Amino acid sequence: MTDPADIVTAELPDRPVREVTDEEIETFRRDGVVLLRGVLQPEWVEALAGPLDGALGRGEAVDMGPMAGSDSDAPAFAGGVDHWRTDPVFEAFATRSPLAPVVAALLGTGTVHLWEDSVLVKEPGSPFPTYFHTDAGYFHLTGEQVCTTWVPLDAATPDSGVVRWVRGSHLDGVEYRPNLFVTDEPIPGTVGEIVPDVLGTPELAARLVTFDVEPGDVTVHHARTLHRAPPHRSERRRRAVTVRYTGDDVRYLHKPGLPGRPGLDRVADGDPVGEPWCPRVWPRPDGD
Ligand SMILES: O=C(O)CCC(=O)C(=O)O
């Protein structure tokens, strides 16, 4: 029997509202981040809202505040990962939405594979910044064609939870140690350089860029771009879904100290990323 969620998402567009422009591609490659205004249909944003709350309600996305030593009354900063593996709407969004052709254009890659998705919700007044990090440090991967699409479900401004990125930092060639998002302590056992004090380093702080965003906008950043989100000083929720993708040049690389992930024990360093754990999403497997 067909799942009702499949029927709904099958009717949603699989191409962006508009093509990515040459200027946007150039910005992504130069700055390591680009804001794509109005590329995603409102129906997709609406479709994600219920599943996002479902992931929170079922405890698949959890408050990270306690990891910062916070008391339990502080408004949450909740995060979860790999919702596409259990929820058909998240699966449709990660595999059949307009994101895949957008990513193919930005990365300049023939194929795109899904690495993971995540839910990142800052409740009104959540005091937790998302500490500076690069996504590459969290992934058991090597290669340059890796990016994160950050999809806001709410209008937001730099003072209400939008990420800030250090322009051009993806070109520095540095592998940074990952942290737990709500603290700048590196995850024990991980390797790499310590993330610099961006706000205290004028040369880096001068390169920060951020945006006002509306539902339908998507930001895309390179996995090596340093970024942070401030505490959430707003009375609105800041709900975001991120989906992270890889391109042709990406291979597995087991990294110490990081959590495992499905299938990681079945692959060797240097294996290409692919089925069944990282489905190909572009070109569409059904040739559509
Ligand atoms: O949404 C946030 O607060 C942080 C997002 C982020 O760092 C990421 O998706 O890599």
Side-chain angles (χ1 to χ4, degrees):
M1 206 177 103
T2 312
D3 188 313
D6 278 346
I7 298 169
V8 176
T9 55
E11 291 164 6
L12 294 182
D14 64 356
R15 294 292 194 280
V17 172
R18 60 174 182 79
E19 295 301 314
V20 175
T21 66
D22 289 347
E23 193 181 346
E24 288 168 334
I25 294 172
E26 191 188 321
T27 300
F28 174 76
R29 294 186 189 169
R30 181 193 61 228
D31 292 350
V33 58
V34 65
L35 165 65
L36 305 174
R37 285 230 181 267
V39 283
L40 193 62
Q41 294 81 2
E43 300 94 292
W44 273 114
V45 176
E46 286 154 21
L48 289 166
L52 177 141
D53 279 329
L56 291 170
R58 289 189 301 276
E60 290 163 17
V62 294
D63 183 14
M64 296 184 277
M67 291 193 287
S70 149
D71 69 67
S72 58
D73 289 340
F77 174 17
V81 74
D82 272 350
H83 308 290
W84 73 273
R85 294 185 195 276
T86 52
D87 183 296
V89 177
F90 278 115
E91 182 189 10
F93 186 58
T95 61
R96 302 201 300 270
S97 80
L99 293 181
V102 162
V103 163
L106 292 175
L107 291 180
T109 181
T111 61
V112 177
H113 286 84
L114 169 63
W115 178 248
E116 67 180 24
D117 65 357
S118 63
V119 153
L120 291 162
V121 178
K122 292 196 180 186
E123 298 296 349
S126 178
F128 308 108
T130 313
Y131 278 85
F132 275 108
H133 63 277
T134 62
D135 298 347
Y138 297 79
F139 302 157
H140 290 281
L141 295 174
T142 182
E144 291 306 314
Q145 291 171 310
V146 187
C147 71
T148 289
T149 59
W150 190 83
V151 180
L153 304 197
D154 303 288
T157 68
D159 289 329
S160 62
V162 178
V163 179
R164 292 156 199 228
W165 296 265
V166 181
R167 268 188 312 234
S169 50
H170 64 307
L171 301 173
D172 294 348
V174 180
E175 184 90 11
Y176 291 109
R177 288 186 69 179
N179 58 41
L180 290 172
F181 270 35
V182 289
T183 151
D184 56 4
E185 277 299 305
I187 297 175
T190 54
V191 295
E193 292 194 23
I194 298 294
V195 171
D197 173 11
V198 173
L199 299 178
T201 308
E203 187 272 324
L204 293 174
R207 286 158 58 190
L208 285 171
V209 62
T210 185
F211 314 101
D212 290 348
V213 295
E214 299 280 341
D217 298 344
V218 175
T219 69
V220 186
H221 62 259
H222 191 278
R224 292 193 190 283
T225 305
L226 279 164
H227 56 286
R228 165 192 199 264
H232 185 45
R233 303 188 209 291
S234 163
E235 296 182 354
R236 273 192 300 209
R237 301 179 84 191
R238 196 229 61 183
R239 297 168 298 166
V241 172
T242 64
V243 193
R244 309 173 199 275
Y245 293 105
T246 66
D248 291 335
D249 80 342
V250 179
R251 299 288 180 271
Y252 279 105
L253 178 64
H254 294 77
K255 296 181 185 173
L258 293 178
R261 52 171 280 129
L264 197 65
D265 55 344
R266 313 279 287 276
V267 294
D269 288 352
D271 284 354
V273 171
E275 266 74 18
W277 302 290
C278 299
R280 196 186 84 199
V281 297
W282 193 259
R284 309 275 188 209
D286 54 10
D288 200 6

